[in-house]
Amino acid sequence: MSQMKWALLIVAATAVVGCTKKETPPPAAEEAAAVEKEKPAVVAVEPILPLPSSVDVNMDKVLLGRSLYHDTILSGDGTVACVTCHSLDHGGAEPRKTSTGIAGQIGPINSPTVLNSGYNFVQFWDGRAKDLQEQAAGPVTNPIEMGANWDEVVGRLKKNKEYASDFAKLYEDGVTQANTTDAIAEYEKSLITPSRFDKFLLGDENAITDAEKQGYATFKEVGCTACHTGINVGGTMFQKMGLVKDYFAGRGTPLTDADMGRFNVSKNPAEKHFFKVPSLRNIELTPPYLHDGSQSTLEGTVKIMGTYQLGRDLTDAQVNSIVTFLKSLTGELPAHAKPGS
């Protein structure tokens, strides 16, 4: 074969090899990396959901409800209002072990916070009210709380020119029990308190500190989120007080009717000592703690919960870490919350 033919054959072979090399699929590792890059990012599912920045309410009803919430006109002797036991300056709860009603009567249970209460699945510790409107009606006629009756309350409101005018603008039938509790419920629905932790849940990594992040991790690791979950960090279920160990025996004081919890409503023996799991939002602001108001500090409360609900002897480091996280749940009242704002 001549030199020219050999040269032509070599050129042709080189061209074939070059074309073949360009069509060779990428190595398996490169292909896998490309596929992985195309996958959508996996978003971690958190047991706690963020509060919205606002809630849909009728603001005229909210302002009427605000007036009613702060007015002693709803009580039998004109000395007690909703705010008496649900102080906005105390995280929507009260600074007392248990409530004080008309004539200085001492109630049987610690008042839970009203803040963010629209996200509870039922109202009151024992769940006897299905919603905020039903909850608003109860204390008015309770003889050791507000000690009034609704006919008298409606009569007083009708005689008040300002209230009569406000109700007439908002409700076709003016002042009624149903309309009064509707306005109070609308106001309470509006009392949401977004916190720094909500900003963190929404993607702002700098909204909480590293210590608070570690506290949240500890909160999840030890099992607190078995009950304290959802948008209100609680308020989604009933749970037995003393789930794994007898709380009331450990407390060492006689049982009260209030200690029976859900049983008082259902009369089901299996629901003795069951209570609505409380919200942990703004918990930093609401001592004393538990349904019986027996704990004065968050640290003591977390320790108690570890022992009786989780069956764990939490270390001081774990307790302090969890408390650090809980303080990140403290939010801000909406601008309209207090009278005059």
PDB file of all heavy atoms in Angstrom, residues 42 46 56 159 163 165 179 229 340:
ATOM      1  N   VAL A  42     -35.366  18.942  49.657  1.00  0.00           N
ATOM      2  CA  VAL A  42     -36.253  18.341  50.649  1.00  0.00           C
ATOM      3  C   VAL A  42     -36.365  19.296  51.836  1.00  0.00           C
ATOM      4  O   VAL A  42     -35.374  19.636  52.473  1.00  0.00           O
ATOM      5  CB  VAL A  42     -35.710  16.965  51.121  1.00  0.00           C
ATOM      6  CG1 VAL A  42     -36.616  16.394  52.204  1.00  0.00           C
ATOM      7  CG2 VAL A  42     -35.613  16.017  49.939  1.00  0.00           C
ATOM      8  N   GLU A  46     -41.333  20.275  60.263  1.00  0.00           N
ATOM      9  CA  GLU A  46     -41.206  20.618  61.677  1.00  0.00           C
ATOM     10  C   GLU A  46     -42.500  20.306  62.419  1.00  0.00           C
ATOM     11  O   GLU A  46     -43.590  20.450  61.862  1.00  0.00           O
ATOM     12  CB  GLU A  46     -40.851  22.096  61.830  1.00  0.00           C
ATOM     13  CG  GLU A  46     -39.507  22.489  61.254  1.00  0.00           C
ATOM     14  CD  GLU A  46     -38.334  21.850  61.985  1.00  0.00           C
ATOM     15  OE1 GLU A  46     -38.527  21.361  63.106  1.00  0.00           O
ATOM     16  OE2 GLU A  46     -37.224  21.842  61.419  1.00  0.00           O
ATOM     17  N   ASP A  56     -57.729  37.086  59.649  1.00  0.00           N
ATOM     18  CA  ASP A  56     -58.896  37.714  59.044  1.00  0.00           C
ATOM     19  C   ASP A  56     -60.000  37.896  60.084  1.00  0.00           C
ATOM     20  O   ASP A  56     -60.588  36.921  60.551  1.00  0.00           O
ATOM     21  CB  ASP A  56     -59.396  36.849  57.882  1.00  0.00           C
ATOM     22  CG  ASP A  56     -60.552  37.498  57.137  1.00  0.00           C
ATOM     23  OD1 ASP A  56     -60.700  38.726  57.252  1.00  0.00           O
ATOM     24  OD2 ASP A  56     -61.309  36.773  56.460  1.00  0.00           O
ATOM     25  N   LYS A 159     -78.938  49.578  78.088  1.00  0.00           N
ATOM     26  CA  LYS A 159     -79.096  50.895  78.710  1.00  0.00           C
ATOM     27  C   LYS A 159     -77.883  51.796  78.478  1.00  0.00           C
ATOM     28  O   LYS A 159     -77.978  53.014  78.659  1.00  0.00           O
ATOM     29  CB  LYS A 159     -79.334  50.729  80.211  1.00  0.00           C
ATOM     30  CG  LYS A 159     -80.686  50.112  80.554  1.00  0.00           C
ATOM     31  CD  LYS A 159     -80.826  49.931  82.062  1.00  0.00           C
ATOM     32  CE  LYS A 159     -82.170  49.271  82.402  1.00  0.00           C
ATOM     33  NZ  LYS A 159     -82.306  49.033  83.861  1.00  0.00           N
ATOM     34  N   TYR A 163     -72.768  51.341  73.908  1.00  0.00           N
ATOM     35  CA  TYR A 163     -72.853  49.932  73.531  1.00  0.00           C
ATOM     36  C   TYR A 163     -74.063  49.680  72.632  1.00  0.00           C
ATOM     37  O   TYR A 163     -73.966  48.968  71.620  1.00  0.00           O
ATOM     38  CB  TYR A 163     -72.955  49.045  74.772  1.00  0.00           C
ATOM     39  CG  TYR A 163     -71.613  48.710  75.403  1.00  0.00           C
ATOM     40  CD1 TYR A 163     -71.412  48.870  76.771  1.00  0.00           C
ATOM     41  CD2 TYR A 163     -70.557  48.218  74.636  1.00  0.00           C
ATOM     42  CE1 TYR A 163     -70.199  48.558  77.367  1.00  0.00           C
ATOM     43  CE2 TYR A 163     -69.338  47.898  75.212  1.00  0.00           C
ATOM     44  CZ  TYR A 163     -69.162  48.075  76.572  1.00  0.00           C
ATOM     45  OH  TYR A 163     -67.954  47.763  77.155  1.00  0.00           O
ATOM     46  N   SER A 165     -75.529  51.613  70.583  1.00  0.00           N
ATOM     47  CA  SER A 165     -75.252  52.132  69.249  1.00  0.00           C
ATOM     48  C   SER A 165     -74.288  51.236  68.483  1.00  0.00           C
ATOM     49  O   SER A 165     -74.500  50.928  67.302  1.00  0.00           O
ATOM     50  CB  SER A 165     -74.665  53.544  69.365  1.00  0.00           C
ATOM     51  OG  SER A 165     -74.277  54.037  68.095  1.00  0.00           O
ATOM     52  N   ASN A 179     -74.660  37.912  70.399  1.00  0.00           N
ATOM     53  CA  ASN A 179     -73.867  38.961  69.766  1.00  0.00           C
ATOM     54  C   ASN A 179     -72.746  39.458  70.681  1.00  0.00           C
ATOM     55  O   ASN A 179     -71.657  39.814  70.212  1.00  0.00           O
ATOM     56  CB  ASN A 179     -74.766  40.126  69.358  1.00  0.00           C
ATOM     57  CG  ASN A 179     -75.753  39.740  68.270  1.00  0.00           C
ATOM     58  OD1 ASN A 179     -75.572  38.727  67.596  1.00  0.00           O
ATOM     59  ND2 ASN A 179     -76.808  40.534  68.109  1.00  0.00           N
ATOM     60  N   THR A 229     -47.250  20.521  69.874  1.00  0.00           N
ATOM     61  CA  THR A 229     -47.018  20.533  68.441  1.00  0.00           C
ATOM     62  C   THR A 229     -48.010  21.471  67.777  1.00  0.00           C
ATOM     63  O   THR A 229     -48.859  22.067  68.436  1.00  0.00           O
ATOM     64  CB  THR A 229     -47.152  19.104  67.879  1.00  0.00           C
ATOM     65  OG1 THR A 229     -46.797  19.086  66.504  1.00  0.00           O
ATOM     66  CG2 THR A 229     -48.572  18.577  68.034  1.00  0.00           C
ATOM     67  N   GLY A 340     -57.475  51.977  73.934  1.00  0.00           N
ATOM     68  CA  GLY A 340     -56.761  53.234  73.697  1.00  0.00           C
ATOM     69  C   GLY A 340     -55.694  53.127  72.652  1.00  0.00           C
ATOM     70  O   GLY A 340     -55.082  54.136  72.277  1.00  0.00           O
TER      71      GLY A 340
END
